[in-house]
Amino acid sequence: MSKSRYFSLEDFNKIIDSIPRYRPQTEESVKNFSINSKQLQLLCKMLFYCGLLIEEALSLTKSDLNLIRRIITVKTKLLLPQTTIPPNILPEITEYIKDIENDQRLFVLSRQQAYKIIKELGTFAGVEVSKVKKARS
């Protein structure tokens, strides 16, 4: 199991590749598992490729996304209130938000639920995620 403050691309790919096989392992995780594999993959990709914190990703609504300019407006206290959407995940985001209302959150999970699921997913994939974050470019 690798330990690092930041995800490597290899560790990220391990997590993404394990999502289709992942099933919540604890009773608490099963209770909190209100997200499907497609949503979980997109959440992880947005955390990694867009450099979002869990809280930032979970607060996003459709109206925070400008798909033409590939910009996400982040509700944050950081100096960078915007981040870019990389071209490799733009089609997936575009498809995902088609049926979402402008003021509806993209991911309907609490921070605690998301953190528990992602931590357990990391353990399942053999990646330490307790203090891992991706720096915003």
Side-chain angles (χ1 to χ4, degrees), residues 12-29:
F12 171 73
N13 286 330
K14 285 181 189 177
I15 289 173
I16 292 297
D17 292 345
S18 70
I19 289 174
R21 299 183 321 276
Y22 169 73
R23 296 294 172 266
Q25 302 299 307
T26 65
E27 190 174 315
E28 185 177 0
S29 294

Side-chain angles (χ1 to χ4, degrees), residues 20 30-32 35 61 72 79 88 93 104 129 134:
V30 170
K31 184 173 64 176
N32 291 329
I35 187 169
T61 63
I72 298 173
L79 297 175
N88 63 319
I93 292 172
Q104 183 180 348
V129 297
K134 174 73 169 77

Side-chain angles (χ1 to χ4, degrees), residues 28-126:
E28 185 177 0
S29 294
V30 170
K31 184 173 64 176
N32 291 329
F33 200 72
S34 59
I35 187 169
N36 65 39
S37 292
K38 184 178 177 179
Q39 293 168 323
L40 185 54
Q41 280 188 330
L42 183 59
L43 174 60
C44 289
K45 287 177 182 180
M46 290 181 77
L47 293 172
F48 184 79
Y49 288 118
C50 300
L52 296 172
L53 300 172
I54 289 176
E55 297 87 1
E56 294 169 338
L58 296 178
S59 71
L60 290 176
T61 63
K62 184 176 180 177
S63 60
D64 294 325
L65 307 176
N66 182 329
L67 299 180
I68 295 169
R69 293 183 56 217
R70 293 188 8 242
I71 297 287
I72 298 173
T73 301
V74 181
K75 297 168 190 81
T76 183
K77 296 177 185 173
L78 298 176
L79 297 175
L80 299 172
Q82 292 186 331
T83 188
T84 58
I85 302 170
N88 63 319
I89 64 169
L90 183 62
E92 195 171 342
I93 292 172
T94 302
E95 180 64 30
Y96 179 75
I97 67 170
K98 278 184 182 177
D99 299 324
I100 295 177
E101 299 294 325
N102 278 342
D103 60 346
Q104 183 180 348
R105 287 181 23 216
L106 301 184
F107 307 102
V108 185
L109 288 173
S110 71
R111 183 186 64 77
Q112 292 83 7
Q113 289 171 322
Y115 180 75
K116 286 175 185 174
I117 291 168
I118 291 171
K119 185 173 180 176
E120 191 173 278
L121 176 61
T123 301
F124 180 76

